[in-house]
């Protein structure tokens, strides 16, 4: 199975900050990498697919980059509604494993 | 947009089975696939498997092989996930999610773009 490792596991930041979350795959996955946001008590929602493609309706402050084994999710200017958990997921080959998550909370 | 409505919470005894349903407001067979993801209390997301409704083929996570079955019923646009021989470690919120596929930069990408609200399954004696 492909292992997905996110860092950091948790992060404290302030409204307006720029934050970056990284995700590393245990083997190359090309650009088959998705990012999800999960607010407390809610189902996840997709932010980025194919490593760099912004899902319809997602604010442009979210962006994704990377290919191969190393990927990043960047939020350019944090808004109050962005404090949530973030998960990467590889869609290269089954099982379509998730990273362990990054919890982003208010400093 | 398609919505997915999941069945209600369940409390089960160890060793029993649970069957969770996921009804689509649209034609479920228009989805590329229906995936099932679970989340134990305070933990991350675990991919359990997926079914491609139009083919009726399913693939499962290795650690659940032999205990899980995923099916789809075209007549009712409903997907099902049955988990057998339940253990306390199966206590979790179970989500179904519809996958979309899209071509970008000459590659085909798929991702879970519509999610159900989740079904809580508690396994306790």
């Amino acid at each position: 199975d492909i292992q997905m490792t996110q860092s950091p596991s948790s992060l404290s930041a302030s409204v307006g900050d720029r934050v970056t979350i990284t995700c590393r795959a245990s083997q190359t996955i090309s650009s088959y990498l998705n990012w999800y946001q999960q607010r407390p008590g809610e189902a996840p929602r997709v932010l980025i697919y194919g490593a760099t493609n912004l899902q319809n309706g997602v604010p442009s402050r979210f962006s994704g980059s990377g290919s191969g084994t190393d990927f990043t999710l960047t939020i350019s200017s944090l808004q109050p509604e962005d404090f949530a958990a973030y998960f990467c997921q590889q869609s290269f080959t089954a099982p379509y494993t998730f990273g362990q998550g990054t919890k982003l909370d208010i400093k | 947009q398609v919505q997915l409505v999941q069945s209600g919470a369940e409390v089960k005894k160890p060793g029993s089975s649970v069957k969770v349903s996921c009804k689509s407001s649209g034609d479920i067979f228009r989805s590329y696939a229906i995936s099932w993801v679970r989340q134990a209390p305070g933990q991350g997301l675990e991919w359990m498997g997926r079914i491609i409704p139009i083919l009726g083929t399913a693939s499962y996570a290795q650690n659940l092989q032999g205990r899980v079955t995923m099916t789809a019923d075209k007549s009712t646009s409903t997907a099902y996930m049955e988990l057998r021989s339940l253990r306390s470690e199966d206590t979790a919120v179970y989500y179904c999610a519809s996958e979309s596929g899209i071509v970008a930069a000459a590659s085909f990408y798929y991702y879970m773009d519509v999610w159900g609200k989740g079904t809580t399954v508690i396994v306790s004696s």
Side-chain angles (χ1 to χ4, degrees):
Chain A
D1 297 0
I2 297 175
Q3 307 302 316
M4 306 300 294
T5 303
Q6 285 181 237
S7 62
S9 296
S10 63
L11 176 60
S12 294
S14 301
V15 172
D17 283 354
R18 177 185 179 92
V19 301
T20 297
I21 298 168
T22 65
C23 180
R24 174 165 288 176
S26 60
Q27 64 187 75
T28 184
I29 58 170
S30 184
S31 295
Y32 293 92
L33 190 283
N34 304 320
W35 288 99
Y36 298 87
Q37 177 194 64
Q38 186 181 33
R39 297 180 177 130
E42 296 184 5
R45 70 159 178 155
V46 64
L47 300 174
I48 302 283
Y49 63 89
T52 62
N53 300 284
L54 193 69
Q55 170 70 338
N56 290 342
V58 174
S60 59
R61 62 180 179 273
F62 291 92
S63 63
S65 64
S67 66
T69 60
D70 294 309
F71 302 86
T72 61
L73 173 71
T74 299
I75 310 172
S76 61
S77 177
L78 275 173
Q79 299 302 300
E81 60 268 29
D82 300 337
F83 292 96
Y86 294 84
F87 298 89
C88 61
Q89 182 223 6
Q90 61 87 11
S91 59
F92 181 73
T93 188
Y96 301 108
T97 40
F98 288 90
Q100 81 278 16
T102 296
K103 185 179 179 184
L104 176 56
D105 59 24
I106 300 174
K107 186 184 291 184
Chain B
Q1 189 182 25
V2 167
Q3 292 185 319
L4 301 176
V5 178
Q6 296 187 226
S7 50
E10 304 262 15
V11 179
K12 294 291 183 178
K13 300 287 189 189
S16 66
S17 299
V18 68
K19 191 170 186 176
V20 180
S21 67
C22 172
K23 183 173 175 61
S24 173
S25 61
D27 181 359
I28 204 166
F29 284 74
R30 293 178 65 88
S31 300
Y32 175 76
I34 298 292
S35 281
W36 290 87
V37 174
R38 69 179 179 178
Q39 187 169 37
Q43 302 301 307
L45 302 173
E46 179 187 7
W47 183 83
M48 300 177 66
R50 68 183 336 198
I51 181 167
I52 300 176
I54 199 167
L55 299 177
T57 56
S59 58
Y60 306 123
Q62 186 69 29
N63 65 322
L64 295 174
Q65 284 276 3
R67 289 206 299 138
V68 67
T69 302
M70 295 174 187
T71 56
D73 183 343
K74 178 179 176 59
S75 66
T76 60
S77 287
T78 303
Y80 298 92
M81 186 284 300
E82 181 179 32
L83 188 60
R84 299 176 294 277
S85 301
L86 289 169
R87 312 158 182 163
S88 58
E89 311 91 88
D90 295 319
T91 294
V93 176
Y94 289 76
Y95 295 101
C96 62
S98 173
E99 290 186 32
S100 288
I102 192 165
V103 176
S107 294
F108 184 74
Y109 298 108
Y110 44 89
Y111 53 94
M112 302 175 211
D113 64 338
V114 179
W115 293 68
K117 292 189 183 301
T119 295
T120 298
V121 176
I122 296 172
V123 183
S124 174
S125 56

